[in-house]
Amino acid sequence: MALNNPTLILNCGSSSIKYALISDDGEQRIEGLAEALGNNDARIKHTHLDGTKEEINLPGATHQLALQKILALIEQYHPVAVGHRVVHGGREFSSAVRVDDHVLSEIKRLAILAPLHNPANASGIEAVLAIYPNLPQVAVFDTAFHQTMPDVAYRYAIPKELYENDRIRRYGFHGSSHAYVSNRASELTAKEGAHGWLVAHLGNGCSATAVYDGKSLDTSMGLTPLEGLMMGTRSGDVDPSLHIHLHRTLGLSIEEIDTLLNKKSGLLGVSGVSNDMRTVEQAANEGNKDAILALELFAYRVAKYLASLSCALPSLTGIAFTGGVGENAVGMRAKILGHLRHFGIKMDEAKNAELSRGAEGSFHAEGSAIELWVVPTDEEFQIMSETREVLGL
């Protein structure tokens, strides 16, 4: 087996590296995950080109050591470029760019907007640079897809100088996923002309985006990924004065409140059971009232956001569900759509039930005012495509 002119895709987190080596036609790939980096149980879970799996223990491994091992595993396939997922590109980057000294320094500087992610993204770039200094690298920013939003969508109603001097605005995230899914939905639909999609990326992290003619016009996440939908452990929208209220009444620090809203809320916080939709659904089926409420709250808030985001679209072609929950939670899709009573939706329940575990397809019934799709996301393919486009490959 061979991979033709493959591109290496890296998604470096604070303690993990998700990677994929994808052929130029996108048809073949090697993929894996380095996890628990910096700890004694650090390891790489690698899937070879023929589908066989291998687990490699790397106690205490750093990002650079893990990348050395990853690159050794794929060395025989000779990657022609590396595409990096970079979480925050600020106002500076509205598209993918080839990495040079200036781009790398900007990624580091923008860590003020993504302190948990951009430093790890930069370390991945530097690690590849140390091992293969002549291999071209491209940064693909989560925020770039949303740079087409108009100012009425990205500005906050706060003093102008905070926007102009301190970059306080709505940026949006999950850009590669929203770009891929909306493009794919436009390929799948039989409708002609410009398409307007509401894309619901629902997983442990959740966001929704209004996409028209391939451009993001509004999205649910804001300055940080905390704004917007209820998620696995994130609260989504809360009263902005909740911080000061919790500080005054409970004496919580800003850091403690930040942890509470990002890591202890959402499905986990409401259900008291788990941040995993499957576990919460099981508890709800067993009669757990908190789990039942968590599911109802999740569905209602997704529907409410989809309805509000429809205001951004000149016309609405349909809704596309993606992400671990969006692709697999058949019942949750039905719950969400049940709240959108004024959209003229007619759902084919049998088709909806068939769409899970990687299945792609539509589930709107005849006579539905809008289309309904499940589109499994492929952020790695999107990053590969943008990387090759930047480099002219």
Side-chain angles (χ1 to χ4, degrees):
M1 280 190 177
L3 282 172
N4 295 322
N5 300 314
T7 306
L8 176 61
I9 308 304
L10 293 177
N11 180 355
C12 295
S14 57
S15 61
S16 66
I17 302 172
K18 186 179 180 183
Y19 62 94
L21 187 69
I22 307 176
S23 61
D24 55 4
D25 60 4
E27 294 298 318
Q28 293 180 297
R29 68 179 68 187
I30 294 166
E31 56 191 3
L33 174 68
E35 57 187 358
L37 298 179
N39 299 321
N40 289 332
D41 58 343
R43 58 196 174 275
I44 294 175
K45 294 179 179 177
H46 183 79
T47 301
H48 292 275
L49 187 56
D50 62 3
T52 59
K53 299 181 185 296
E54 179 180 1
E55 186 163 321
I56 303 155
N57 293 317
L58 294 172
T62 61
H63 280 73
Q64 184 157 340
L65 182 61
L67 268 173
Q68 286 176 345
K69 185 61 180 178
I70 291 166
L71 290 168
L73 286 166
I74 64 171
E75 188 176 20
Q76 61 179 303
Y77 299 105
H78 306 292
V80 296
V82 182
H84 294 266
R85 179 206 179 202
V86 179
V87 166
H88 222 302
R91 297 184 305 195
E92 287 74 12
F93 298 106
S94 58
S95 62
V97 293
R98 182 166 182 163
V99 174
D100 56 20
D101 290 342
H102 169 70
V103 170
L104 181 57
S105 67
E106 286 293 287
I107 291 170
K108 291 179 178 179
R109 186 178 63 81
L110 289 166
I112 192 170
L113 295 173
L116 296 179
H117 297 92
N118 272 38
N121 303 151
S123 70
I125 292 170
E126 290 176 323
V128 173
L129 194 61
I131 301 166
Y132 288 116
N134 297 320
L135 196 60
Q137 300 189 70
V138 171
V140 181
F141 300 93
D142 260 15
T143 52
F145 181 63
H146 301 296
Q147 289 295 298
T148 52
M149 290 193 298
D151 53 6
V152 295
Y154 70 70
R155 286 286 294 271
Y156 288 116
I158 57 175
K160 181 180 178 181
E161 56 268 21
L162 288 173
Y163 165 69
E164 293 182 336
N165 301 332
D166 301 292
R167 296 183 171 84
I168 306 300
R169 53 158 285 178
R170 304 182 68 250
Y171 288 98
F173 299 90
H174 291 146
S176 294
S177 178
H178 288 295
Y180 176 83
V181 172
S182 57
N183 287 338
R184 181 61 182 152
S186 288
E187 291 173 353
L188 293 168
T189 183
K191 287 196 173 181
E192 297 181 355
H195 302 128
W197 297 107
L198 294 173
V199 180
H201 176 112
L202 308 177
N204 191 48
C206 301
S207 65
T209 297
V211 183
Y212 186 76
D213 199 19
K215 296 180 175 61
S216 171
L217 297 185
D218 201 356
T219 192
S220 59
M221 285 180 169
L223 175 70
T224 75
L226 182 59
E227 184 181 349
L229 305 180
M230 175 180 169
M231 310 181 208
T233 64
R234 294 183 187 130
S235 64
D237 288 348
V238 295
D239 186 327
S241 289
L242 179 61
H243 289 72
I244 192 66
H245 175 76
L246 292 176
H247 175 66
R248 284 173 176 163
T249 59
L250 301 180
L252 298 182
S253 68
I254 290 294
E255 290 74 20
E256 288 171 328
I257 297 167
D258 185 63
T259 298
L260 182 146
L261 296 178
N262 275 288
K263 297 182 179 180
K264 299 180 180 180
S265 298
L267 283 174
L268 173 63
V270 177
S271 73
V273 173
S274 174
N275 64 306
D276 190 306
M277 179 68 73
R278 295 163 296 186
T279 305
V280 178
E281 286 180 333
Q282 181 179 343
N285 291 334
E286 294 169 355
N288 184 310
K289 291 183 178 180
D290 290 332
I292 293 170
L293 175 61
L295 296 178
E296 294 294 343
L297 189 57
F298 184 94
Y300 175 70
R301 293 186 62 155
V302 172
K304 187 167 73 167
Y305 246 105
L306 291 175
S308 66
L309 286 170
S310 70
C311 297
L313 296 173
S315 62
L316 175 56
T317 308
I319 301 171
F321 291 90
T322 194
V325 173
E327 295 168 25
N328 297 297
V330 172
M332 179 52 67
R333 291 197 297 260
K335 276 183 186 291
I336 292 166
L337 295 173
H339 289 293
L340 297 171
R341 294 177 292 275
H342 314 300
F343 277 50
I345 292 169
K346 292 184 179 179
M347 183 183 75
D348 187 318
E349 293 184 9
K351 285 184 179 179
N352 182 41
E354 294 170 359
L355 293 170
S356 64
R357 300 190 179 187
E360 177 184 78
S362 64
F363 62 105
H364 48 276
E366 187 175 348
S368 180
I370 63 171
E371 298 182 1
L372 304 172
W373 291 88
V374 172
V375 179
T377 193
D378 194 343
E379 293 166 279
E380 289 79 18
F381 180 86
Q382 182 69 27
I383 293 170
M384 182 271 286
S385 300
E386 293 187 37
T387 295
R388 298 185 73 88
E389 183 177 355
V390 166
L391 299 174
L393 296 174

